[in-house]
Amino acid sequence: MMIKKTVFTLLFVIASLTTFAQVKIAFAEVNYILNQLPETQTIDTQLQAFETQLSSEIQTMSQQFQQSVQEYQSSSGTMTDEAKATKEGELQTLQQQIQQKQQEAQQKLQQRYAELLGPVRDKVMNAIETVAEANGYTHVFAKSISGNLIAVYPDVQDNSFSDMVLQELGVTVE
């Protein structure tokens, strides 16, 4: 409901502005722009390497867990109830450690993504502002990296503004 109010207010303001001044509006597809930048490909490569490293650590822990489970299963027939309970507790602890490691890995990956992409995102936003000013746009609506909309925009199939931003960034669009 809050989004609808915001959208209606925004549209009202834009409609009001058209009576006072010339309004020139553009739409920038941030993901489209980012996908064209060589920096993004470098970031993807770095993230894949980091993810491989994290996955390797988790895989090693999982293999150790599986080996411990097999050892327990093969020797549980000869173990006392106390020894079984101790070993089962150790296995549960190891399984919890693996789950915690997986959660930490996901958080680290997201953090690394934000660290690497932040400067590139800032560069794109600055280029959008430069292109908007140079071409007389009064409003630029952008779809953010996360997919959230900054404002409502028409179904635009034309990436001409985004292509101008890429040109400002020194990237040739094919």
Side-chain angles (χ1 to χ4, degrees), residues 16-84:
S16 298
L17 289 174
T18 60
T19 61
F20 297 111
Q22 180 66 25
V23 176
K24 191 172 179 183
I25 300 173
F27 170 73
E29 178 65 56
V30 176
N31 284 334
Y32 169 77
I33 295 168
L34 286 172
N35 288 334
Q36 303 296 319
L37 295 175
E39 295 100 306
T40 305
Q41 294 170 359
T42 302
I43 289 170
D44 287 343
T45 302
Q46 291 174 351
L47 286 174
Q48 287 173 356
F50 187 62
E51 184 176 21
T52 300
Q53 175 190 350
L54 295 173
S55 294
S56 175
E57 294 171 12
I58 293 169
Q59 187 175 12
T60 300
M61 289 179 73
S62 294
Q63 289 170 346
Q64 291 171 347
F65 174 74
Q66 290 299 325
Q67 183 178 355
S68 295
V69 167
Q70 289 174 352
E71 290 171 3
Y72 169 74
Q73 289 173 341
S74 65
S75 64
S76 65
T78 61
M79 298 174 100
T80 65
D81 288 343
E82 186 177 310
K84 283 182 185 180

Side-chain angles (χ1 to χ4, degrees), residues 151-171:
V152 174
Y153 59 91
D155 185 19
V156 177
Q157 299 299 320
D158 177 19
N159 281 322
S160 61
F161 185 83
S162 298
D163 289 340
M164 286 189 284
V165 171
L166 285 167
Q167 185 177 6
E168 174 68 25
L169 292 167
V171 176

